[in-house]
Amino acid sequence: MPRIMFTVPPFPVFIAAGEGVFKKGEMHARRIFSVFDLIYVKQGTLYITENDQTFSVGGGEYILLSPGLEHFGSRGCEENTSYYWLHFDEKGYEFTQKGGNNWAELLQEKGSFEEPARYRLALPRKGKVQRPLFMEKQFDSLMDYTAENSDLPLRKQILFEELLLHLQKESFQIPSAKERVAWDAARYLQEHYKERVTIKDLSYALHYHQDYVTRCMQQVLGVTPGQYTNKVRMTEAKRLLSSTNDKMGVIAETIGMEDPTYFSKLFKQTEGVSPIEYRKIVSRKIE
């Protein structure tokens, strides 16, 4: 797989992020940017051409478009296709066909007491994301303009760097046993978040002991199965709050939570605002 290589530090610089939807039959516009354009498809398939090379980018996949190269939709989407986009700047880069198989291989120069170690990140131009919830969480934070009076605007560069490192690590394609269990558990919970999934159900589905599954998720993802399920639910709740006029009870039931009061309490704990306040903020942003 062709890769784009960056020498870090310093890291590329985050510029802006957003999201959009191509309706069935629509295609990407013809453009040439002076910066990198990272597109991550959440659902559907995007057909795009860059420099005479055509790509099909499906749900859970990303493509890294390079500055100075024309890109455009090669054909219309066959279904409604939702996606995130992210622009970042980096003048020093090169294209390569090899490298980037492990961290040791990426080490370019060892550090000293006065100079940092330098690495050469080698990101595939197109890749499949193993942890889509992490990607969506990072994008949601990078797009959040409701917290301009907090430290979030200053932390967006850090969140962006975490995203790049995540893509680099996943490109190694050598997950540990614990990572595989954690990702399998996360995938199962994403598919069944509307149901009452107990840790016993999860253990039975994955064929691992309950304690081991929980420990793997905590060590790899930093959350318990229950906390992960709630994150998935809150992500879906935000989508419903911004795209429908459904009442809180309906949204709570849709995401698998029977108690609207507990849903509102958990949403505020997670997002910092109540569901009603979030809907008002989003509606003002759309206007």
Side-chain angles (χ1 to χ4, degrees):
M1 170 64 68
R3 297 171 182 261
I4 299 177
M5 187 170 285
F6 311 98
T7 299
V8 298
F11 273 81
V13 179
F14 170 73
I15 298 176
E19 61 181 331
V21 176
F22 289 112
K23 295 182 180 179
K24 183 177 179 180
E26 293 182 338
M27 65 175 65
H28 197 288
R30 186 178 294 267
R31 289 174 178 156
I32 300 178
F33 286 128
S34 61
V35 295
F36 282 96
D37 184 11
L38 172 65
I39 299 177
Y40 170 72
V41 176
K42 290 193 292 182
Q43 185 176 3
T45 303
L46 179 64
Y47 302 97
I48 195 164
T49 296
E50 181 192 54
N51 202 32
D52 297 328
Q53 185 173 2
T54 298
F55 299 92
S56 171
V57 189
E61 294 182 330
Y62 74 90
I63 185 167
L64 186 54
L65 303 170
S66 304
L69 298 181
E70 183 181 52
H71 61 265
F72 55 90
S74 52
R75 63 187 173 101
C77 295
E78 298 177 351
E79 60 182 311
N80 289 351
T81 298
S82 57
Y83 64 95
Y84 290 109
W85 60 264
L86 185 155
H87 290 177
F88 67 91
D89 190 24
E90 173 57 53
K91 304 304 181 187
Y93 65 93
E94 61 183 272
F95 297 102
T96 180
Q97 291 287 343
K98 58 183 180 179
N101 295 316
N102 55 64
W103 291 117
E105 188 175 307
L106 296 181
L107 180 62
Q108 181 183 18
E109 183 179 326
K110 291 185 177 181
S112 68
F113 291 110
E114 296 182 340
E115 294 291 334
R118 298 195 179 278
Y119 292 83
R120 304 188 76 183
L121 299 187
L123 298 178
R125 292 179 64 191
K126 177 178 176 289
K128 176 73 174 178
V129 172
Q130 302 299 320
R131 291 172 55 193
L133 187 66
F134 173 86
M135 288 288 288
E136 293 175 16
K137 178 176 178 293
Q138 295 299 99
F139 271 106
D140 286 341
S141 297
L142 290 169
M143 294 188 306
D144 187 356
Y145 295 98
T146 64
E148 291 299 303
N149 294 326
S150 70
D151 65 343
L152 181 57
L154 296 174
R155 288 194 291 110
K156 286 186 177 181
Q157 174 64 26
I158 298 174
L159 294 170
F160 164 64
E161 292 176 8
E162 290 177 347
L163 187 150
L164 286 187
L165 290 175
H166 174 73
L167 293 180
Q168 179 65 85
K169 183 177 181 180
E170 286 202 343
S171 74
F172 295 157
Q173 298 181 341
I174 48 172
S176 66
K178 289 182 179 179
E179 288 175 328
R180 286 194 296 270
V181 172
W183 295 344
D184 286 345
R187 191 175 301 110
Y188 183 87
L189 293 173
Q190 288 174 36
E191 295 172 352
H192 299 273
Y193 72 91
K194 295 181 180 181
E195 306 168 17
R196 279 189 173 185
V197 177
T198 67
I199 183 62
K200 185 177 180 180
D201 297 329
L202 185 59
S203 171
Y204 181 81
L206 300 181
H207 307 292
Y208 287 104
H209 192 275
Q210 301 174 23
D211 293 341
Y212 181 67
V213 174
T214 299
R215 188 163 60 251
C216 288
M217 291 198 70
Q218 287 177 318
Q219 292 179 358
V220 175
L221 303 178
V223 292
T224 65
Q227 290 170 333
Y228 188 90
T229 299
N230 284 335
K231 284 190 175 185
V232 176
R233 286 172 171 167
M234 293 305 102
T235 297
E236 178 63 10
K238 288 195 294 183
R239 187 188 70 80
L240 293 171
L241 286 166
S242 62
S243 62
T244 74
N245 293 318
D246 292 345
K247 295 182 178 180
M248 298 304 109
V250 174
I251 291 178
E253 184 177 355
T254 301
I255 64 173
M257 300 183 70
E258 297 179 354
D259 186 349
T261 301
Y262 178 66
F263 159 65
S264 296
K265 181 180 179 181
L266 181 62
F267 189 95
K268 187 168 185 178
Q269 288 178 347
T270 305
E271 304 300 328
V273 294
S274 70
I276 294 176
E277 291 170 332
Y278 179 85
R279 175 173 274 168
K280 290 179 180 179
I281 292 171
V282 172
S283 63
R284 286 199 300 268
K285 182 179 177 183
I286 294 175
E287 293 172 359

